[in-house]
Amino acid sequence: MTADVEVRLRADARRNRDQIIAAAKVMFTEDGPEVPMEEIARRAGVGVGTLYRRFPDREALIRAVAQSNFADVLADAKAAETEEPTAWDAFVRLVGRSLALRLTLQFPLWSLGMWEAMRDDLEITRFRDEILAILDRIVVSAQQEGALRPDVGSGDVAVLVSLLLRRMPVPTDRVAMMTDRILALLFDGLRAQPGGLPGQPITPSDLGKD
Amino acid sequence: MTADVEVRLRADARRNRDQIIAAAKVMFTEDGPEVPMEEIARRAGVGVGTLYRRFPDREALIRAVAQSNFADVLADAKAAETEEPTAWDAFVRLVGRSLALRLTLQFPLWSLGMWEAMRDDLEITRFRDEILAILDRIVVSAQQEGALRPDVGSGDVAVLVSLLLRRMPVPTDRVAMMTDRILALLFDGLRAQPGGLPGQPITPSDLGKD
Amino acid sequence: MTADVEVRLRADARRNRDQIIAAAKVMFTEDGPEVPMEEIARRAGVGVGTLYRRFPDREALIRAVAQSNFADVLADAKAAETEEPTAWDAFVRLVGRSLALRLTLQFPLWSLGMWEAMRDDLEITRFRDEILAILDRIVVSAQQEGALRPDVGSGDVAVLVSLLLRRMPVPTDRVAMMTDRILALLFDGLRAQPGGLPGQPITPSDLGKD
Amino acid sequence: MTADVEVRLRADARRNRDQIIAAAKVMFTEDGPEVPMEEIARRAGVGVGTLYRRFPDREALIRAVAQSNFADVLADAKAAETEEPTAWDAFVRLVGRSLALRLTLQFPLWSLGMWEAMRDDLEITRFRDEILAILDRIVVSAQQEGALRPDVGSGDVAVLVSLLLRRMPVPTDRVAMMTDRILALLFDGLRAQPGGLPGQPITPSDLGKD
DNA sequence: TATGAATGAGCGTTCATTCAT
DNA sequence: CATGAATGAACGCTCATTCAT
């Protein structure tokens, strides 16, 4: 019974927490990392105080949102790896179709401070490492399949995608088509076999040392 | 004499204006679009009052900086078109080597409001149209040369580049190499002849309607 | 059975109340009258809600703490009066050695509002009157003994002590010695017989009219 | 002419600064160190922004007020030393009659943090050292005159006074008389020759090491 | 006209108090 | 009756913009 009460309480708190993160995810994505905390609270249907009870400051909230995003990406990556017939298919699905990936990647680009905050977050680091490990497996397999050019590393892919998948400030109805074309161009570039790329393939550990 | 005085004043004012824009260009690039106006003024060596005399508000200043950037890009584009032996070379130079282009492109991505402000600025629109016209000529020529795949439009290129050329939040010594590799991948994709891209080539007028 | 339960509850409640007051006493003394209520509750090992159930607001809690302090002082005063051989000894013990007195006296000095709150508290007033009555008896006796100068009233002593016995913001190891010296100076002043003090001796009833 | 303009500007700013400090002095004294900054600004007749332009944060303002207070005390101390016929007279005047001293002394008692902030302020330290040096001279002279007991140091006096001269939370009309009586008691204690005080005389350098 | 002082709205954050569980 | 989650008012501080000099 006591347990029951506590579970109920937790359920409530949990729901609030989730609502806050959901609201923050939307508002950060729409309005950038400086949206007034009060707006986030309003959108989540709670008071500011509640928001601050769960997340002591803005950075904590951002980290929580990032964790949530990374968790989604990890799920996507796992699904892509296990469900697709070829590594290239998995690659295309993960890079080209993961909405979670898109949302996640525009996050750390906000500012250097944010980048660092996220790098120091253990949870996020863990997610990131897992994701990169999966991506690395996919890249290597796709190269063994002969579908992906051999002179790229999974780090190249990560950088490329992180640069590419950001919100375009154009009317939304056009974004979809544009994005598809850009991705197609990108895949063509990644498939091409010819001459070498400059420098060395970028690996996950290159990124890790940032 | 009066004229003389006025001319002098104008020279002074001109210098102030230029210093302010130069300072703003640096600080916007380094610290984003929300740097305190007073910092910009300090860096320009003038008082805030002077800044506000020249640019009634932040948006006006941003527009002025953008104009200046676009003018630089236009100069780059003209030089590329006239000085390079082939259209493909001009294309690579403009897209891959124009620092002005890079700086310019990270600008309108700051926010939707900024994008709109710039679209409504007559001067900027003029620059932009000229730039896109040149880019379009280069693209068409490069396609006639057989160097550039025929199923892309100059709008594709503009979008691709605008997404690609942004500051990466990684240590600077690594950025150069990463950028080179990404650009090489991109050019390979653009060179590839194979199957079609989805949708229709994006043209300058597509972008104009945003 | 119901009675039993209620008695049990009362015992519980009583214990909670005591813990809260004990915690508050410590924290008010250490951190001043504005310590967050939640900290007090945490230290007392109860939830804020419980604290507020017992004490409707901060002032109520402060009054309760003050009552407790005054009760301790009264006990000290009674003990001093009955246990010491001479009135002067009782006087020195009460004024110079009563820790309860010291703690109590830094209390009402916090603010005028607090002072008034305490003056309007019937319980506190009763304690205070009893304490002052004892002090007055001691003062008169000590004067009859010839030990204490005749031109002071117990009110003088009360005022003097209330000003004197406050925490000094210096490293604690030095405080003890300083306090001893100050008290010795004070007692010398009180013992001295010479010329008159200005004004009239301050009596308990003078204080009562504040 | 330019100079003239600048002087005018400075005069304005100076006046604002002075008004802010004056207001802060009053409000800190009346309401403690946590009065809302906005109240201080209102009382000074300026906006919050102006206040923050001059004093980057609350601590800076407090330090400025303290400096001003200490400067006043120093002036009082100098006047007492030069104008009074005997060292004992100077002593009584400084300790017993300096309003500036009274106001100053309730300052550092607010909190440990404040005490430290003031100790790290070079300006304040300088004033303090000068004041203590004068007090020390006065104490020594008064002892040579035979008026002041020889077993106290100027540090004893400083501590005693700092404890003694604080606002009493009683109706103002009674404060004056009470204070006079307390001071008279104190002076009697200081004059008395009998037995020794415990510990060693407290010197300015003892205080300096706090 | 250039300056920088003044203003005040706005956001982050804390905490007293209330109330659902 | 205990708990601790939720609320929102209040205050610190920043900065865009205005305006006196």
Side-chain angles (χ1 to χ4, degrees):
Chain A
M1 211 132 156
T2 303
D4 194 354
V5 166
E6 250 191 281
V7 166
R8 284 250 217 152
L9 231 47
R10 292 227 171 125
D12 250 44
R14 181 79 209 167
R15 191 141 57 91
N16 265 332
R17 212 194 113 97
D18 292 348
Q19 282 172 338
I20 290 170
I21 289 188
K25 212 178 275 199
V26 174
M27 303 212 65
F28 282 145
T29 304
E30 282 179 0
D31 301 321
E34 322 219 297
V35 255
M37 295 294 263
E38 201 149 348
E39 302 270 292
I40 297 175
R42 173 159 36 257
R43 176 154 198 153
V46 302
V48 240
T50 304
L51 198 165
Y52 274 94
R53 164 179 286 272
R54 303 296 169 202
F55 308 97
D57 56 18
R58 176 179 294 273
E59 199 198 286
L61 176 58
I62 288 178
R63 277 208 311 272
V65 171
Q67 281 180 23
S68 166
N69 281 340
F70 271 77
D72 290 348
V73 175
L74 181 55
D76 276 14
K78 283 178 175 162
E81 191 180 28
T82 52
E83 295 171 6
E84 296 301 322
T86 70
W88 176 257
D89 288 324
F91 180 77
V92 169
R93 168 168 165 183
L94 180 57
V95 169
R97 304 279 164 246
S98 165
L99 178 61
L101 184 57
R102 298 190 188 199
L103 292 181
T104 302
L105 284 166
Q106 71 187 224
F107 241 76
L109 297 177
W110 278 339
S111 79
L112 189 53
M114 207 145 292
W115 177 264
E116 281 162 0
M118 290 177 49
R119 206 188 42 221
D120 297 345
D121 183 294
L122 207 63
E123 202 72 15
I124 291 177
T125 303
R126 223 168 15 225
F127 280 131
R128 198 184 99 120
D129 290 346
E130 276 199 76
I131 293 166
L132 285 177
I134 296 179
L135 180 61
D136 204 48
R137 284 202 297 274
I138 294 178
V139 162
V140 169
S141 300
Q143 287 169 330
Q144 288 169 344
E145 286 171 2
L148 182 66
R149 57 193 296 171
D151 54 355
V152 303
S154 58
D156 286 299
V157 175
V159 171
L160 180 55
V161 167
S162 78
L163 288 177
L164 213 51
L165 298 179
R166 13 195 43 246
R167 189 216 291 305
M168 283 180 272
V170 292
T172 28
D173 57 336
R174 219 96 54 85
V175 169
M177 185 193 67
M178 287 185 177
T179 303
D180 283 349
R181 291 179 61 82
I182 296 304
L183 281 170
L185 273 172
L186 166 67
F187 286 129
D188 280 349
L190 289 169
R191 252 204 231 95
Q193 304 299 334
L197 296 172
Q200 297 301 314
I202 300 172
T203 66
S205 69
D206 283 323
L207 299 178
K209 276 181 284 177
D210 286 341
Chain B
M1 212 137 159
T2 303
D4 195 355
V5 167
E6 252 193 280
V7 166
R8 286 247 216 149
L9 285 178
R10 288 215 174 138
D12 258 41
R14 182 76 209 169
R15 194 145 56 86
N16 267 338
R17 212 193 114 96
D18 291 348
Q19 283 172 338
I20 291 170
I21 289 187
K25 211 178 277 195
V26 173
M27 302 211 66
F28 282 145
T29 304
E30 282 178 359
D31 302 321
E34 320 218 299
V35 261
M37 296 295 263
E38 202 152 343
E39 304 264 293
I40 297 174
R42 177 162 33 259
R43 174 153 199 154
V46 302
V48 242
T50 306
L51 197 165
Y52 272 91
R53 165 175 296 276
R54 303 296 169 206
F55 308 98
D57 57 19
R58 176 181 293 273
E59 197 197 288
L61 176 59
I62 287 178
R63 277 208 311 272
V65 170
Q67 281 179 23
S68 166
N69 281 341
F70 272 77
D72 290 347
V73 175
L74 180 54
D76 276 16
K78 282 178 176 165
E81 190 179 28
T82 52
E83 296 171 7
E84 296 301 323
T86 71
W88 175 257
D89 288 325
F91 180 77
V92 169
R93 168 168 164 181
L94 182 56
V95 169
R97 305 279 165 246
S98 166
L99 178 61
L101 183 58
R102 297 187 188 201
L103 291 182
T104 302
L105 285 165
Q106 71 186 224
F107 240 77
L109 298 177
W110 279 339
S111 79
L112 190 54
M114 210 146 289
W115 177 264
E116 280 162 357
M118 290 177 49
R119 207 186 44 222
D120 296 346
D121 181 294
L122 207 63
E123 202 72 14
I124 290 178
T125 304
R126 229 180 356 238
F127 279 128
R128 198 183 100 118
D129 289 346
E130 275 198 76
I131 294 166
L132 286 176
I134 295 178
L135 180 61
D136 204 47
R137 284 202 297 274
I138 293 177
V139 161
V140 169
S141 300
Q143 287 169 330
Q144 286 169 346
E145 285 172 3
L148 182 66
R149 58 194 293 172
D151 54 356
V152 304
S154 58
D156 287 300
V157 175
V159 170
L160 180 54
V161 168
S162 78
L163 287 177
L164 213 50
L165 299 180
R166 10 194 45 247
R167 192 212 295 300
M168 282 181 271
V170 291
T172 30
D173 57 336
R174 225 94 54 91
V175 169
M177 185 194 68
M178 288 184 175
T179 305
D180 283 349
R181 291 178 62 81
I182 298 304
L183 281 171
L185 274 172
L186 166 68
F187 287 128
D188 279 349
L190 289 169
R191 250 204 233 97
Q193 303 299 333
L197 296 172
Q200 296 303 313
I202 299 172
T203 66
S205 67
D206 283 324
L207 299 178
K209 277 182 284 176
D210 286 339
Chain C
M1 209 138 159
T2 302
D4 194 354
V5 166
E6 250 192 282
V7 167
R8 286 251 215 148
L9 284 180
R10 288 215 175 141
D12 258 40
R14 181 76 209 166
R15 192 147 55 88
N16 269 337
R17 213 193 113 96
D18 292 348
Q19 283 171 337
I20 291 170
I21 288 187
K25 210 178 280 197
V26 174
M27 302 212 67
F28 282 145
T29 304
E30 283 179 359
D31 301 323
E34 320 219 297
V35 261
M37 296 294 263
E38 203 152 342
E39 305 265 293
I40 298 174
R42 176 160 34 258
R43 174 152 199 154
V46 303
V48 242
T50 305
L51 197 165
Y52 272 92
R53 166 173 297 275
R54 302 295 168 207
F55 308 97
D57 55 20
R58 176 180 295 272
E59 197 197 288
L61 176 58
I62 287 177
R63 277 208 312 270
V65 170
Q67 282 179 23
S68 166
N69 282 340
F70 272 77
D72 290 348
V73 175
L74 180 55
D76 276 13
K78 282 177 175 165
E81 191 178 28
T82 53
E83 296 170 8
E84 296 302 321
T86 70
W88 176 257
D89 287 324
F91 180 76
V92 169
R93 167 169 165 181
L94 182 56
V95 169
R97 305 279 165 246
S98 165
L99 178 61
L101 183 58
R102 299 190 187 199
L103 292 181
T104 303
L105 284 167
Q106 72 186 224
F107 240 76
L109 297 177
W110 281 338
S111 80
L112 190 54
M114 210 146 289
W115 178 262
E116 282 162 358
M118 289 177 50
R119 206 187 44 221
D120 297 345
D121 182 293
L122 207 64
E123 202 72 15
I124 290 177
T125 304
R126 227 177 1 236
F127 280 129
R128 199 182 97 119
D129 289 346
E130 276 199 75
I131 293 165
L132 285 176
I134 295 177
L135 180 62
D136 204 49
R137 284 201 297 273
I138 293 177
V139 162
V140 170
S141 301
Q143 287 168 332
Q144 289 169 345
E145 287 172 1
L148 181 67
R149 57 194 293 171
D151 54 354
V152 304
S154 59
D156 286 300
V157 174
V159 170
L160 180 54
V161 168
S162 80
L163 287 178
L164 213 50
L165 298 179
R166 12 196 43 247
R167 191 214 293 301
M168 283 182 271
V170 290
T172 28
D173 57 336
R174 223 94 56 85
V175 169
M177 185 195 66
M178 288 186 176
T179 304
D180 283 349
R181 292 178 61 82
I182 297 305
L183 281 170
L185 273 171
L186 167 67
F187 286 128
D188 279 348
L190 289 168
R191 250 202 234 96
Q193 305 299 335
L197 295 172
Q200 297 302 313
I202 300 172
T203 66
S205 68
D206 283 322
L207 298 178
K209 278 182 283 177
D210 287 341
Chain D
M1 213 130 155
T2 302
D4 195 353
V5 166
E6 250 191 282
V7 166
R8 286 249 217 152
L9 230 50
R10 293 225 172 125
D12 250 46
R14 181 78 208 169
R15 192 141 56 90
N16 265 332
R17 211 194 113 97
D18 292 348
Q19 283 172 338
I20 291 170
I21 289 188
K25 212 179 276 197
V26 173
M27 302 211 66
F28 282 144
T29 304
E30 283 179 358
D31 301 321
E34 320 219 298
V35 255
M37 295 294 261
E38 201 150 347
E39 302 270 293
I40 298 174
R42 172 158 36 256
R43 176 153 198 155
V46 302
V48 239
T50 303
L51 198 165
Y52 275 95
R53 165 180 284 271
R54 305 294 169 205
F55 308 98
D57 54 20
R58 176 180 294 273
E59 198 199 285
L61 176 59
I62 287 178
R63 277 208 312 270
V65 170
Q67 281 180 23
S68 166
N69 281 342
F70 272 77
D72 290 348
V73 175
L74 180 56
D76 276 14
K78 282 178 176 164
E81 192 180 28
T82 53
E83 295 171 7
E84 296 301 323
T86 72
W88 177 259
D89 288 325
F91 181 77
V92 169
R93 168 167 165 182
L94 181 57
V95 169
R97 303 281 166 245
S98 165
L99 178 61
L101 184 57
R102 298 189 188 199
L103 291 181
T104 302
L105 284 165
Q106 72 187 224
F107 242 77
L109 297 177
W110 279 338
S111 79
L112 189 54
M114 208 144 293
W115 176 264
E116 281 163 358
M118 290 178 49
R119 206 188 43 221
D120 296 346
D121 183 294
L122 206 63
E123 203 71 14
I124 290 177
T125 304
R126 225 172 9 229
F127 280 130
R128 197 183 101 119
D129 289 346
E130 277 198 74
I131 293 166
L132 286 176
I134 295 178
L135 180 61
D136 204 47
R137 284 201 298 273
I138 293 177
V139 162
V140 170
S141 299
Q143 287 170 330
Q144 287 169 345
E145 286 172 2
L148 182 66
R149 59 193 293 172
D151 55 354
V152 304
S154 58
D156 286 299
V157 175
V159 170
L160 180 54
V161 168
S162 79
L163 288 177
L164 212 50
L165 298 180
R166 13 195 43 247
R167 188 212 297 303
M168 281 181 273
V170 293
T172 29
D173 57 337
R174 222 99 50 92
V175 169
M177 186 195 65
M178 287 186 176
T179 305
D180 283 349
R181 291 180 61 81
I182 297 305
L183 281 170
L185 272 172
L186 165 68
F187 287 128
D188 279 350
L190 289 170
R191 251 203 232 97
Q193 303 298 335
L197 296 172
Q200 297 302 314
I202 299 174
T203 66
S205 69
D206 283 323
L207 299 178
K209 277 181 284 176
D210 285 343

